[in-house]
Amino acid sequence: MSPKTLYDKIWDAHVVQQSEDGTCLLYIDRHLVHEVTSPQAFEGLRMAGRKVRAPEKTIAVPDHNVPTTLDRADPATMTEDSRIQVAALDKNAKEFGINYYPVSDVRQGIVHIVGPEQGWTLPGMTVVCGDSHTATHGAFGALAHGIGTSEVEHVLATQTLIQKKSKNMKVEITGKLMPGVTAKDITLAVIGATGTAGGTGYVIEYCGEAIRDLSMEGRMTVCNMAIEGGARAGLIAPDQKTFDYVKGRPHAPKGADYDAAVEYWKTLFTDEGAHFDKVVTLKGEEIEPVVTWGTSPEDVLPISAVVPSPDDFKGGKVEAAKRAIEYMGLTSGQKLTDIEIDTVFIGSCTNGRIEDLRAAAEILKGKKVKDGMRAMVVPGSGLVRAQAEEEGLADIFKDAGFEWRMAGCSMCLAMNPDQLAEGERCASTSNRNFEGRQGYKGRTHLVSPAMAAAAAITGKLTDVREMM
Amino acid sequence: MEKFETLQGIAAPMPLVNIDTDMIIPKIFLKTIKRSGLGVNLFDEMRYDRQGNEIADFVLNKPQYREAQILVAGDNFGCGSSREHAPWAIADFGIKCVISTSFADIFFNNCFKNGILPIVFPQDVVDVLMKDAEKGSNARMTVDLENQVVTTSDGQEFAFEVDAFKKHCLMNGLDDIGLTMEHVSAIDAFEAKSNAERPWL
C-alpha cells in the first residue's frame, strides 16, 4: 500500500461513494451549527418535509449575533433582526431535536470553542460548520472545514457532503519558539510567508517540533487561521496531548470505548514517504512576535519592523499596500511600536480559550491599561469565563481596567453591538483585519493575547518581550 | 422537493414582457431568514399600494386567479438579478409552472432547483395559452411533464421540450439533496460499517 498523508487517511475513511470524475460523497461525523448561516437550511428541510438525518451528531449554539454585555438576557440589548435569527435557532434546535446550548446556558460560547470543550470534536473525524473558522478543529487531527448554507442543508438532511479532494500541503515549523512567541505568531508568520492564497486548493498539515510542543489550545489557534492562508482545512496529527485533552469530556468516549478510540487515533499520522504537493518550512527560532500592519492577514511583520512602503511590493500588491496604508492611517517607515491604539480586544475563536486569557493576565497582573483605553476580554465560552473567574484571572483583568464580558464572537466580526467606531484602532486577538471587519472604517492590528495585553498597558503596539 | 408529475390548475395570464426579478420580489424582502413565506410578497409592488392594500385589477388579486398554479407570461420572464428569492416567492405562492416565449438564464435554472417547471413555447402557442388563461378559473390547463404536453381547457395539445436530466430531477422531486438521497442505502451501509469500526463516534 502506498504511503498516505494524515489527510488521505481521514478522507479515505469517510468516502461513502466515488463517481468516475472523482466527486465523492463524504460522510460527516459532526455538524456544528450557528444562528447566521442556518435558518434557510432548516427552512429548506421543513419545506421538503425532511428531518435532520443524525440529530445526535448535530450541535447548535448561537454566537455571532449575541451581545456580550452582562445584561444580555434583556432582549432590548439586541437588534430586531439579530433577535429573530437567534430565536430561529432556538426554535429549529427544538423542532429538529439537535443538541443545543442556548444563550442562557453556561456552556454557550463560540461554536469552535464549545465543540472541543464538550468533547464533540475527536481525532479522525470529519467536522463541518457554516463558518470558515471550522478549520480550528483540525488541531485534533480532524478534517474540519466551513460550508455554505445549501451545504448546511445537505449535511442536515444526508449527513454527507458532495466533495472533491484537495491537494496535500505540509507546513513544518522546526525547532523551538523563543520566549514571548506564541501559536498566534506561528500562524500569522505562516500566512505572511505563504500569502492569503498560498493554501488555496490544499489541506495543510502542520508539523515539526514547534507544533508538537504546542498545547492543544495553541494548536487550535494555528489551525483556526488555516483558512486565512487560503487552505480548505488545517490538520495536526493527534498525539498523547490530544488524547489527554479529549479524555473525560462530556461527549468523548469513555472506558473501553476510549481505549479502542485511542488505538485507532494512534494510526492517524502521515506515513513515511507520503507525498505532499507543496511544502513550506519555517524555523521556530526565527519567528518573532508579529503584528499585522495592513488590511489582509498576510500583511504581517515582526513587531521590531517598520510600516512598509508600497514600493516594497510587486504587481497588484503595490496598489493594495497603498490602499491599506491609507486605510490604516499609517506612514511608510513608521516604527510599528510607534502606532498608537485606543482599543484592545481579547477573545474570538482564535484566542478566546483559557490559556489565551492566562497569557494576557500574566502581562496585566498588577498593571493598569493606558488612560482612555477601551479594553475588553470576551471569553470564548461560559465555561472559559467561569474557569477564569475561579483562577482569579477575571479580577486581574478588571483591576487592570478591562471590561469582563459574556461569551460570544463579539468584536471579531461586529455583527453584534461590539464594534469599532470610525477611525478607532484596535489591537485584536481575532483573525481578520479586513476593511470594516470590526466596524465601519475601524482599524485592526492582529496580535497574540500577550501582545494585546502589552498594547493595552502602553497604548501602543508593543514588543511583549520587553515586559516579560 | 415536491415531485412534479401532472399538474392541472388555473393559469393566470401576465402578458407583460420583461418581468424582472425586482418585480417578482423587491429587494426589501431579501433580508429574511426564510426561503418560505415570500409568496405574500410575490409581485409586491404590482400587487399592493404603498399602504399595503391590494390593487384590485392586478391579476393575482382577482378572485378567479388567487389559486393560480400556472403563469403564462410575456417574453424574457425573470430577467435581472440571480436572487433565488424569485423562484422561492413564486413557489411559495403556489405557482408550479411558468410558460413564456423566453426566460432569463439564471432564473430558468433557479426554477428547477425549487420545483418549478419553466416551459418555452413559440409566440403563437403562447398566444393560444394566454387566451385560454384569460378564461379564468373555469379554464383548467393541464401540464403533463412525463409526456411533455400542455393541454388547454378545450383540449388543444402542445408538445414542449425539456432537458432530460432536469425532467428526471423534477419528476422525482430531486434537488442536490434529493440526488444524494438516491444513495441513501450507501449512506446507511457506510454508517453501519463506521459504527461497527468506530463505536465511539
Side-chain angles (χ1 to χ4, degrees), chain A residues 262-277:
Chain A
V262 170
E263 282 315 300
Y264 173 68
W265 295 341
K266 284 180 176 170
T267 68
L268 299 173
F269 57 85
T270 291
D271 296 330
E272 191 73 34
H275 176 72
F276 282 97
D277 303 282

Side-chain angles (χ1 to χ4, degrees), chain A residues 225-430:
Chain A
M225 291 188 71
I227 186 73
E228 261 62 62
R232 184 166 189 79
L235 282 171
I236 295 173
D239 58 13
Q240 195 57 44
K241 280 183 192 171
T242 321
F243 311 148
D244 292 345
Y245 181 95
V246 164
K247 194 174 187 178
R249 294 191 180 267
H251 297 281
K254 309 211 167 26
D257 270 351
Y258 175 81
D259 297 336
V262 170
E263 282 315 300
Y264 173 68
W265 295 341
K266 284 180 176 170
T267 68
L268 299 173
F269 57 85
T270 291
D271 296 330
E272 191 73 34
H275 176 72
F276 282 97
D277 303 282
K278 187 170 178 176
V279 178
V280 172
T281 307
L282 265 64
K283 290 182 181 162
E285 295 85 354
E286 291 180 359
I287 300 175
E288 286 188 63
V290 294
V291 300
T292 60
W293 55 267
T295 53
S296 162
E298 70 185 15
D299 297 340
V300 173
L301 282 172
I303 184 65
S304 55
V306 299
V307 176
S309 159
D311 303 332
D312 299 342
F313 300 93
K314 284 182 207 149
K317 190 70 190 171
V318 176
E319 204 48 45
K322 208 163 136 185
R323 183 182 168 88
I325 290 166
E326 191 181 317
Y327 178 89
M328 293 297 289
L330 302 173
T331 311
S332 295
Q334 179 182 7
K335 286 169 76 174
L336 293 174
T337 49
D338 284 342
I339 297 173
E340 293 186 1
I341 55 148
D342 46 53
T343 308
V344 169
F345 169 65
I346 296 175
S348 85
C349 59
T350 312
N351 284 128
R353 285 168 286 267
I354 192 70
E355 289 177 13
D356 299 314
L357 304 196
R358 285 182 195 142
E362 183 65 31
I363 302 296
L364 288 167
K365 210 170 188 170
K367 302 218 171 63
K368 296 277 182 205
V369 304
K370 175 113 173 156
D371 280 351
M373 181 70 59
R374 173 189 181 199
M376 65 164 91
V377 185
V378 184
S381 73
L383 292 185
V384 170
R385 186 174 196 274
Q387 190 177 347
E389 288 182 339
E390 204 174 292
E391 292 183 15
L393 307 181
D395 290 333
I396 294 173
F397 286 118
K398 285 189 270 188
D399 291 347
F402 270 79
E403 289 178 59
W404 179 242
R405 295 295 193 98
M406 304 294 279
C409 296
S410 185
M411 203 188 269
C412 176
L413 82 170
M415 267 191 80
N416 46 68
D418 305 338
Q419 304 191 11
L420 290 182
E422 192 169 339
E424 283 185 334
R425 186 183 297 280
C426 182
S428 177
T429 66
S430 55

